[in-house]
Amino acid sequence: MTGDAVVVRYTLSDFYGDESERAAVYGLQERLRAALDGAGEFGGNEFGDGGVTLFLYGPDADRLYAAATPLLRELPYRPARVRLRYGDPRDEVCREGDLDGDLPAERPPARRWIRAAEGDVFRVPVDASRSALGQVVAVSGPWVLVVIFDEPAFDADILLMALTFDDCLAGGEWPIVERRPVRADVPWPVYKMSVTSMGTFVEDHFGNKFREATPEERRTLRSRSQCSPEEVTDAARAAFGVGEWLDRYDYFIVDHQQTVARIIGSSADTLLRGHDVGNHGG
């Protein structure tokens, strides 16, 4: 998303937080939507890894933070960190600090990085002589959905899929070699997300809801989770025989039973192939 951003990370009691914590977060989100009129908008959340991250977007990060701060500080979960990001996220022009304290007065100079985009084909170093090949299939702010092929060829089968930050692409650790149309056979994944006051929903890779989950989907669908680029690299290396394959890497293996086309239908699958990442539920 273009413009400035305010990103807040709260620490919760366990990996996704308990029901009362999630309910409090969802309540805060609704209050933020009402309070930010004119200053910006609430852009979504990411639960996982022992906390929750909230994303706010607007034309002026300072004004946005001033409008949101009273509400953000009401949520009691600590420690909590805040980052004000100015302009393109790849430039890393940010001020950050404790949510309850003062932020640095000065902005750092912009750091110009390579800008990853949908369709970018990149290499993941496996060892001194080999690389795995991958593609960026969707982008939302600093998040990228990437696939890794089972052979170093663009027409090879898709082996791994992960939602991760664009750090390795922006910094050059995953060299971008070309840009091609996103593969037509991308198995867009679906997940479940439980909302205490509303039920359990089927959602896409960026958290956009399709509809309420059926009892069977509540039992079988996975929860959405993001990971570091370094973990994707380790999984790719293990898949190519370099290093140990750990159980947690199983999450990256493409599950063709849990896709948009299979669970939601071909019309929603076509919508995602058009790169519309808005709320699909209407």
Side-chain angles (χ1 to χ4, degrees):
M1 180 174 292
T2 58
D4 293 359
V6 173
V7 181
V8 187
R9 174 74 177 179
Y10 297 94
T11 302
L12 302 179
S13 61
D14 58 27
F15 194 84
Y16 291 111
D18 61 30
E19 287 194 10
S20 64
E21 291 170 332
R22 291 195 296 272
V25 171
Y26 296 134
L28 171 63
Q29 292 175 183
E30 295 307 312
R31 296 195 300 278
L32 285 169
R33 287 189 174 99
L36 296 180
D37 184 38
E41 62 181 0
F42 176 74
N45 67 54
E46 289 289 344
F47 283 90
D49 205 21
V52 60
T53 304
L54 303 184
F55 301 90
L56 289 70
Y57 299 101
D60 184 328
D62 294 321
R63 181 186 174 201
L64 179 59
Y65 185 51
T69 297
L71 289 175
L72 294 172
R73 289 178 176 171
E74 286 181 8
L75 206 63
Y77 311 122
R78 298 294 187 275
R81 300 281 295 178
V82 61
R83 170 182 286 194
L84 275 61
R85 190 261 296 157
Y86 304 90
D88 193 293
R90 296 164 185 81
D91 294 343
E92 292 193 335
V93 180
C94 302
R95 294 192 299 144
E96 59 183 296
D98 189 278
L99 178 61
D100 299 309
D102 295 327
L103 300 180
E106 298 297 325
R107 302 182 192 179
R111 177 182 179 181
R112 295 288 176 180
W113 281 19
I114 299 168
R115 289 168 169 77
E118 291 172 355
D120 280 347
V121 179
F122 58 90
R123 296 193 179 278
V124 178
V126 170
D127 56 27
S129 61
R130 295 183 299 160
S131 295
L133 196 68
Q135 186 178 38
V136 177
V137 298
V139 178
S140 180
W143 297 103
V144 289
L145 184 68
V146 300
V147 296
I148 305 295
F149 306 122
D150 67 355
E151 294 180 7
F154 185 72
D155 58 355
D157 290 338
I158 295 173
L159 175 64
L160 308 178
M161 175 177 284
L163 179 63
T164 186
F165 285 111
D166 66 354
D167 294 12
C168 281
L169 292 158
E173 291 86 351
W174 293 352
I176 296 171
V177 296
E178 62 177 328
R179 183 171 297 166
R180 301 179 64 165
V182 172
R183 286 263 300 256
D185 62 343
V186 171
W188 300 105
V190 289
Y191 305 98
K192 64 182 177 183
M193 169 57 79
S194 296
V195 181
T196 303
S197 60
M198 300 174 62
T200 301
F201 293 87
V202 178
E203 64 180 15
D204 72 4
H205 45 282
F206 289 139
N208 302 299
K209 293 188 291 292
F210 286 107
R211 56 166 172 75
E212 191 168 359
T214 67
E216 177 69 9
E217 290 164 351
R218 290 198 294 270
R219 185 181 68 82
T220 59
L221 288 181
R222 301 180 296 178
S223 297
R224 181 169 50 93
S225 180
Q226 69 275 11
C227 63
S228 69
E230 291 77 16
E231 190 161 20
V232 179
T233 298
D234 290 343
R237 287 173 174 165
F240 281 80
V242 178
E244 180 184 0
W245 181 269
L246 304 179
D247 289 345
R248 66 175 182 270
Y249 299 159
D250 291 346
Y251 187 90
F252 302 141
I253 297 176
V254 174
D255 187 342
H256 291 278
Q257 301 303 309
Q258 298 189 5
T259 65
V260 171
R262 182 177 176 84
I263 302 296
I264 304 300
S266 58
S267 61
D269 186 73
T270 301
L271 179 69
L272 279 177
R273 295 186 197 286
H275 308 298
D276 184 337
V277 295
N279 191 314
H280 312 303

